[in-house]
Amino acid sequence: MKRIGPLIVERRLAPPRHVVFGVSVLAVVVALLLAALVFWAYGVSPWRAYAEIGRGTLGTVGGLSDIVRRAIPLILCGVGLTLAFRAQFWNIGAEGQLLAGAVAASGVALFLRVPDVLRLPLVFLAGFGAGAVWAVIPALLRVKLQVNEVISTLMMNYIMAYIVEWLVHGPWKGPTMRGFAYTDMFPVAARLPLIAGTRVHWPTLAVGVAAALVVGLILSRTRLGYEVRVVGQSPDAARYAGISFTTVLALTMVVSGGLAALAGVGEVAGIHWRLRSPSHISMGYGYTAIIVAWLARGSPVAAILTALLFGLIFAAGDLMKSTLGLPFQITGVFNGLILFSLISSDLLMYWRIRWGKKGEAWT
Amino acid sequence: MNVRKLWLLVAALVMGGLLAMGADKIKAGFIYVGPIGDYGWTHAHDVARRIVDEQYDWLETVYIESVPEGEVETYIDQLVRQGCNVIFTTSFGFIDGTFAAAQRYPNVIFAHASGFKRAPNMATYMADFYQVYYLNGLMAGALTKTGKIGYVGAFPIPELKRHISAFTIGVREVNPTAEVHVRWIYEWYNPAAAKEATEALIAEGCDVFAFTEDSPTVIQVAAERGLASFAHYSPMYAFAPDYVVSGQLVHWEVIYDDFLVKVHEGVYTNKNLTHVDYWWLLAQKAAELGAEIGMPVNPQYVAPLQGYVIDHPTFGRISVYDLVFVRYNQMADPGITFDPFEGPVYDRKGNLVVPAGMWMSYDHLITMEWAADGVVGPWPGEP
Amino acid sequence: MDLGWLVSTVSRALAFGVPLLWGTLGEIYAERSGVVNLGVEGMMILGAYAGFAVAQTVGVPALGLLAAAVVGAAAALWHAFLTVTLRANQYVSGLALTLFGLGLAGLLGRGWEGKPLRVPLGAITVPGLAEIPVLGPMLFVDQTILTYLGVLLAVILWVVLFRTRWGVVIRSVGESPATADSLGINVTLVRYLCVALGGLLAGVGGGYLSVAYRPSWTEGMTAGMGWIVIALTIFASWDPLRAIWGAFFFGALYHLSFRLQAYVSPELLKLMPYAFAILVLAVSGFGGARWRRRAPGSLGIPYVRGER
């Protein structure tokens, strides 16, 4: 506690939601002011820049749909990551799990002989399964062999990326692609329906939102959710409470990886309709989702909002390149500034400023 | 003149004005896959864009760099919104997005580099180098002492396979036992990978280098060891003036110039592009021999190349230096009289792939998967 | 395998491992003091840019490396300010630093592209030692001074960390800052210094890329090395001596992935180093506690006086 004139500044343990929200918005505003300086340095009037960005993203149907389209994989990966982070499992591997989903989905879409009605459900199931398997491996390695999950999940991202590369250059290279490294197009029955006039593949969006709600409920209302939180807070306490560390962690990662994989399913079945190089399938969604999950502060439902925020940032980056003609690196600077600002504001939330009463002591 | 006629006249004038304006002003948008400073593919397209932009008053150009391949539609939307009436997309991976956008914007003219899908309002274009790679191969074959030439490739796709095979055919024409050792880095741009691939080839005894990837790394690494190399795509002579022998240079501007002038003159419209496919080579001046514009062979290498004399089945005793220019003229003169893939050509497994006296068709060229005799190393997708 | 293979593989492993070694040594110190810095990639690329820009302008490669070190340290201090003083989330701050660094370096680097460095940092031949058969060409030619400095630095940093009072201070801050604090150690200062050292070394690693390894500047030229550094730090179990083996082992695998292409599918070879990293950790997991060293106890956790 500190006294500054008539004001008392004191720490609080859990900031209420409105404070978190308010301070976060303030942080974004500060970042926008900083970015304005960058625009100005590049000879673009900040007013014009923000007007163009606002018009191009929030002001048109096309712009709005682009935000949502970018947010879909971020929601799915982000929700999964909030769950893993609750269990204190540092899953950096959403990117690889996403790609695993894309691979399995492509395999089913292109090569499995099933009736058309079954194809899309199977695409989703296979995708989820592949992501779950890919994510359970680091969980088991951690439990059984004490392999640090940051390293295993990070390495597995690279491994999956090269597997995708191998598939599109090798066995899955499309006969109609004239030797280029792409699979053939998915049959129509394996393509996701889009909201008319946009590229928003709504089934994946619906799954993402539903997943956020369900995971939110599991975390707050069920025994499993309780166990996840205990495991996250103190593995020792979990042991005393008779909770199986292995089972809880494995389940957590099945869901976390499975959801990230569905993001990959959405990208290949909703956007590209084929498997292609890893960097084309994901714009680093799995990594961005780490930030999405952190900003959501452990709440899967809040991850929908933070995912939309990053959808907006992606879309704004597009506009900076195209409409404002700024060099593309400016988007990295812009995103960095926003993040710096958001995390610096973190501390602010834990402090409260109020009028001091007479005679309140200094500490 | 009554009122009605007056109105008609006004209407006609306005319409005429609008039409004239429409054809008069062209706003061309360029979508690039990499950064304009990549010193490779995108850099070359941007140089060409600036050249045509300065050339014509009726032309305005804009560009967007570093567009991810799967995201091209979003950027096309934005260019159309900005009023672009001609849009160039410059990467094979833009094929689906460009084709979809061409359906969605029937009044906009599209041109897609290196692809094969066309529409009434979508053309394709490509400047290719296989002829120049063949000429480089002639020189490389003369310069190698170990009989091993290193080649660093980005991806094993038909374009590179065509280049490497043409290069190898050149090598073997002057040095029938020489080998071309290939390493893939699986990236268009990764200097560290290119460097280690080159080092691996050096360790295997290669002493002359060529490559297809977007940085001058191979040249720099070879030069450190005092080994000769061939440049790719951009003027790279300055990176190692003592060691860069020659190379390929691209002139996309001749294609952009031709295309945009024809749009301007109304020759190309949004209705008649289904069969417009540029496949421009040496003869159209879309490709140039050399590592620096206007310098086909590094003067330091003229003497060694003149000193390497062979018995040629067609030309008798001839120095490789002279052979390069004889072959160059055969391919660069309008009535082309030679092609590197002139049959009989055998692949490295001994199959006859081009029968005697035949040339390869365009379709065969752009889909070729086989490796010419003399290529050593992994060749994914080899038939 | 004849000796030629061995010689070239070891020689390339050293050259490719240098930026990894410097970066890893830095990250080890940062993490030993309890601060994860995922911004290695960002610090390295800023170092690469600064190194090239200064070396090209001044014409002295050593000054380029110095600039790279300063810029890397400055970027790290920013991370320290956010995570130590403002107690921001270390993972997110590091990610932000990577994004920001890649963007800023790319932005500033426009116009420097496509130019070879006037005076690169050349390879040296160690007098005498280079004459030794096999070992000479393997270890003592074709390397820049940074290879040897890196190894020397690793030894020094190991001694400092495990054999001096400073090392005890650093490790106790990373293990249990509250205890360290109660003993009168300035936790904030130690963390600032360690993080700054981390950035300094990462900066040099980046500078090596643009001033020596491939003397020119290109957008994104670190190409993910910063992430490998993060992995190597854990791989080396926060031990500077093990970092030497880790960095050069990774360098060897990377080089071999091109050497062996003629025999094994290239994509499989390219994923080999990453699979190997996991495998080695898993195998050492069998080895029990003697092989495994735990992460610093308060890694990633901001220190607040009076809590915990």
Side-chain angles (χ1 to χ4, degrees):
Chain A
M1 200 166 79
K2 224 173 217 169
R3 187 166 186 132
I4 305 167
L7 297 174
I8 298 254
V9 183
E10 63 185 4
R11 232 178 118 69
R12 57 178 152 213
L13 287 175
R17 287 221 175 131
H18 68 269
V19 172
V20 174
F21 189 75
V23 172
S24 302
V25 170
L26 194 71
V28 173
V29 171
V30 170
L32 293 183
L33 289 176
L34 288 175
L37 288 178
V38 181
F39 292 138
W40 177 73
Y42 265 85
V44 177
S45 137
W47 285 119
R48 189 182 148 237
Y50 287 125
E52 290 279 1
I53 290 171
R55 188 146 27 102
T57 54
L58 300 167
T60 64
V61 176
L64 280 172
S65 75
D66 248 9
I67 296 177
V68 175
R69 182 174 63 83
R70 281 345 224 311
I72 294 172
L74 294 175
I75 293 174
L76 282 159
C77 294
V79 169
L81 290 181
T82 52
L83 181 65
F85 294 166
R86 275 288 185 98
Q88 291 285 316
F89 189 83
W90 291 103
N91 178 12
I92 312 290
E95 186 81 1
Q97 292 143 20
L98 182 153
L99 291 174
V103 166
S106 306
V108 171
L110 289 168
F111 306 114
L112 199 70
R113 287 165 181 269
V114 285
D116 280 354
V117 229
L118 287 177
R119 195 169 293 272
L120 260 184
L122 281 174
V123 161
F124 270 86
L125 271 179
F128 187 95
V133 169
W134 203 244
V136 149
I137 296 172
L140 294 179
L141 282 173
R142 152 87 177 271
V143 177
K144 300 293 176 201
L145 296 171
Q146 282 75 44
V147 176
N148 181 299
E149 72 269 19
V150 173
I151 198 170
S152 57
T153 51
L154 183 63
M155 297 289 106
M156 285 177 74
N157 289 344
Y158 288 102
I159 295 175
M160 187 46 78
Y162 283 116
I163 292 178
V164 174
E165 205 74 76
W166 170 67
L167 285 172
V168 294
H169 280 279
W172 287 8
K173 185 157 80 177
T176 68
M177 291 314 288
R178 303 203 175 189
F180 284 93
Y182 302 83
T183 66
D184 281 338
M185 283 252 199
F186 289 2
V188 178
R191 299 181 193 175
L192 289 170
L194 306 178
I195 295 178
T198 73
R199 294 165 76 208
V200 176
H201 36 105
W202 60 265
T204 335
L205 178 63
V207 170
V209 173
L213 297 174
V214 171
V215 172
L217 279 178
I218 290 176
L219 273 173
S220 58
R221 298 284 154 80
T222 66
R223 170 143 185 95
L224 179 65
Y226 160 77
E227 291 182 349
V228 167
R229 280 179 288 137
V230 174
V231 161
Q233 273 153 17
S234 157
D236 290 331
R239 207 169 304 128
Y240 292 128
I243 296 170
S244 161
F245 193 62
T246 313
T247 316
V248 171
L249 209 55
L251 267 179
T252 302
M253 285 309 285
V254 161
V255 177
S256 185
L259 288 177
L262 290 185
V265 174
E267 294 306 296
V268 292
I271 307 269
H272 304 293
W273 298 336
R274 56 165 107 246
L275 190 68
R276 56 199 303 171
S277 276
S279 62
H280 305 163
I281 298 172
S282 167
M283 317 287 106
Y285 292 131
Y287 295 110
T288 310
I290 297 171
I291 299 161
V292 166
W294 171 76
L295 269 182
R297 289 165 212 279
S299 158
V301 180
I304 299 178
L305 284 181
T306 53
L308 283 168
L309 173 68
F310 273 86
L312 174 65
I313 290 174
F314 268 114
D318 293 349
L319 282 164
M320 282 183 237
K321 273 200 285 189
S322 60
T323 312
L324 299 173
L326 291 167
F328 78 97
Q329 294 96 340
I330 218 155
T331 58
V333 172
F334 186 78
N335 294 352
L337 285 175
I338 287 188
L339 282 178
F340 281 141
S341 182
L342 280 171
I343 51 176
S344 321
S345 72
D346 215 27
L347 190 69
L348 221 53
M349 295 173 193
Y350 291 89
W351 293 94
R352 186 162 58 168
I353 304 171
R354 60 175 172 86
W355 292 102
K357 295 188 198 96
K358 261 192 194 144
E360 228 172 325
W362 300 69
T363 40
Chain B
M1 193 189 284
N2 57 27
V3 178
R4 193 187 145 89
K5 273 188 180 162
L6 190 66
W7 271 115
L8 275 174
L9 186 68
V10 170
L13 280 173
V14 170
M15 288 293 287
L18 280 177
L19 281 175
M21 264 173 65
D24 215 44
K25 279 277 171 196
I26 291 180
K27 185 169 179 182
F30 290 72
I31 295 187
Y32 302 141
V33 71
I36 55 172
D38 68 357
Y39 222 66
W41 175 263
T42 295
H43 179 76
H45 281 279
D46 199 57
V47 168
R49 177 191 65 82
R50 291 203 302 266
I51 291 173
V52 290
D53 188 275
E54 277 164 27
Q55 193 98 21
Y56 302 108
D57 295 335
W58 44 263
L59 179 68
E60 182 192 348
T61 66
V62 291
Y63 72 89
I64 312 177
E65 60 181 330
S66 289
V67 169
E69 292 206 339
E71 294 294 325
V72 65
E73 277 192 79
T74 312
Y75 288 91
I76 291 176
D77 288 348
Q78 285 171 7
L79 285 180
V80 172
R81 247 177 268 154
Q82 285 179 44
C84 288
N85 42 14
V86 178
I87 292 175
F88 296 99
T89 54
T90 63
S91 174
F92 179 83
F94 293 153
I95 188 167
D96 297 331
T98 309
F99 192 73
Q103 315 291 309
R104 202 144 30 97
Y105 302 110
N107 292 322
V108 177
I109 289 176
F110 291 89
H112 173 230
S114 77
F116 54 82
K117 281 187 184 173
R118 280 181 292 280
N121 61 335
M122 177 176 169
T124 48
Y125 63 102
M126 183 68 180
D128 200 75
F129 296 118
Y130 74 94
Q131 297 167 324
V132 193
Y133 267 108
Y134 158 80
L135 296 172
N136 286 173
L138 294 174
M139 292 184 256
L143 291 172
T144 177
K145 303 236 161 22
T146 60
K148 289 179 179 176
I149 295 160
Y151 197 112
V152 177
F155 289 101
I157 57 174
E159 182 189 339
L160 271 79
K161 290 176 177 174
R162 181 168 71 238
H163 293 169
I164 297 169
S165 285
F167 181 79
T168 308
I169 286 172
V171 168
R172 284 272 165 123
E173 187 168 329
V174 301
N175 192 343
T177 57
E179 293 172 341
V180 176
H181 290 242
V182 181
R183 287 293 177 275
W184 306 103
I185 62 171
Y186 282 86
E187 247 154 318
W188 283 113
Y189 172 78
N190 183 340
K195 169 147 181 161
E196 290 311 320
T198 313
E199 293 284 1
L201 289 164
I202 291 173
E204 278 168 31
C206 297
D207 64 346
V208 177
F209 293 85
F211 64 96
T212 307
E213 60 98 28
D214 282 344
S215 79
T217 308
V218 176
I219 290 176
Q220 286 180 293
V221 177
E224 273 172 29
R225 310 294 174 115
L227 301 174
S229 59
F230 292 82
H232 173 61
Y233 230 71
S234 290
M236 292 178 174
Y237 172 71
F239 279 87
D242 294 336
Y243 298 106
V244 178
V245 184
S246 182
Q248 321 88 42
L249 294 163
V250 70
H251 291 287
W252 289 106
E253 63 272 16
V254 296
I255 295 181
Y256 288 134
D257 189 295
D258 186 84
F259 191 86
L260 288 165
V261 166
K262 284 183 173 149
V263 172
H264 182 63
E265 288 170 350
V267 179
Y268 290 160
T269 69
N270 59 346
K271 305 269 186 290
N272 63 5
L273 299 181
T274 310
H275 299 292
V276 174
D277 178 26
Y278 286 72
W279 173 255
W280 279 21
L281 310 166
L282 273 177
Q284 293 83 7
K285 305 216 178 322
E288 183 185 336
L289 176 68
E292 190 70 34
I293 289 169
M295 187 182 79
V297 178
N298 183 340
Q300 299 197 28
Y301 283 90
V302 171
L305 291 172
Q306 281 172 336
Y308 192 94
V309 179
I310 56 163
D311 273 317
H312 194 277
T314 319
F315 306 111
R317 281 191 71 74
I318 185 169
S319 81
V320 168
Y321 184 79
D322 292 336
L323 181 62
V324 167
F325 286 95
V326 169
R327 289 301 200 198
Y328 176 86
N329 289 332
Q330 283 183 311
M331 295 186 289
D333 291 342
I336 306 168
T337 53
F338 173 74
D339 190 273
F341 294 113
E342 193 171 73
V345 177
Y346 292 89
D347 69 14
R348 67 177 183 180
K349 290 181 169 170
N351 305 313
L352 181 69
V353 278
V354 186
M358 304 285 281
W359 288 9
M360 280 169 74
S361 70
Y362 166 70
D363 273 347
H364 189 177
L365 276 171
I366 67 162
T367 58
M368 68 180 271
E369 293 277 13
W370 47 267
D373 202 18
V375 175
V376 178
W379 202 260
E382 185 166 14
Chain C
M1 201 197 280
D2 66 301
L3 284 174
W5 267 77
L6 190 66
V7 167
S8 68
T9 303
V10 173
S11 170
R12 292 316 306 158
L14 295 184
F16 186 79
V18 167
L20 300 176
L21 175 61
W22 285 72
T24 307
L25 291 174
E27 184 71 8
I28 286 175
Y29 262 60
E31 296 198 5
R32 276 287 179 179
S33 79
V35 181
V36 177
N37 188 351
L38 295 187
V40 181
E41 179 84 359
M43 300 188 298
M44 282 180 90
I45 193 86
L46 284 170
Y49 164 71
F52 181 80
V54 169
Q56 183 77 331
T57 313
V58 186
V60 183
L63 286 180
L65 290 172
L66 186 68
V70 170
V71 167
L77 280 174
W78 176 239
H79 179 71
F81 172 69
L82 289 174
T83 57
V84 179
T85 303
L86 297 184
R87 301 198 276 275
N89 180 299
Q90 297 176 3
Y91 293 91
V92 181
S93 171
L95 283 174
L97 187 55
T98 291
L99 273 177
F100 186 79
L102 285 169
L104 188 65
L107 215 49
L108 296 172
R110 292 174 85 94
W112 296 88
E113 310 246 8
K115 296 191 184 82
L117 182 60
R118 284 193 288 149
V119 189
L121 182 70
I124 54 171
T125 303
V126 183
L129 296 176
E131 310 301 323
I132 307 171
V134 183
L135 280 182
M138 190 149 75
L139 302 173
F140 301 112
V141 294
D142 289 336
Q143 304 294 332
T144 63
I145 186 80
L146 288 179
T147 307
Y148 309 112
L149 282 182
V151 174
L152 183 68
L153 190 70
V155 174
I156 295 173
L157 289 178
W158 183 86
V159 171
V160 170
L161 197 57
F162 294 112
R163 294 288 183 271
T164 69
R165 216 193 92 75
W166 291 354
V168 177
V169 167
I170 292 170
R171 283 184 289 141
S172 65
V173 165
E175 209 54 55
S176 167
T179 317
D181 194 6
S182 68
L183 293 173
I185 295 168
N186 185 339
V187 173
T188 307
L189 180 68
V190 170
R191 288 194 165 174
Y192 261 84
L193 287 177
C194 285
V195 173
L197 176 68
L200 188 145
L201 299 184
V204 175
Y208 170 80
L209 290 175
S210 65
V211 175
Y213 183 74
R214 201 184 68 95
S216 49
W217 163 254
T218 13
E219 166 81 40
M221 66 187 300
T222 44
M225 281 194 181
W227 296 107
I228 297 169
V229 163
I230 308 281
L232 278 175
T233 304
I234 306 167
F235 191 72
S237 45
W238 300 272
D239 179 335
L241 286 184
R242 290 192 191 186
I244 302 177
W245 307 123
F248 295 147
F249 173 64
F250 201 91
L253 285 177
Y254 195 79
H255 174 75
L256 282 176
S257 78
F258 294 104
R259 280 309 285 282
L260 296 173
Q261 258 191 21
Y263 315 103
V264 192
S265 158
E267 300 95 335
L268 289 179
L269 283 168
K270 291 206 77 172
L271 65 78
M272 216 171 59
Y274 306 101
F276 242 83
I278 299 179
L279 200 71
V280 169
L281 282 185
V283 168
S284 65
F286 282 115
R290 204 176 64 81
W291 273 91
R292 231 168 30 232
R293 285 206 198 134
R294 220 166 38 79
S298 66
L299 188 61
I301 305 162
Y303 173 61
V304 187
R305 181 176 270 188
E307 274 184 14
R308 252 175 284 220

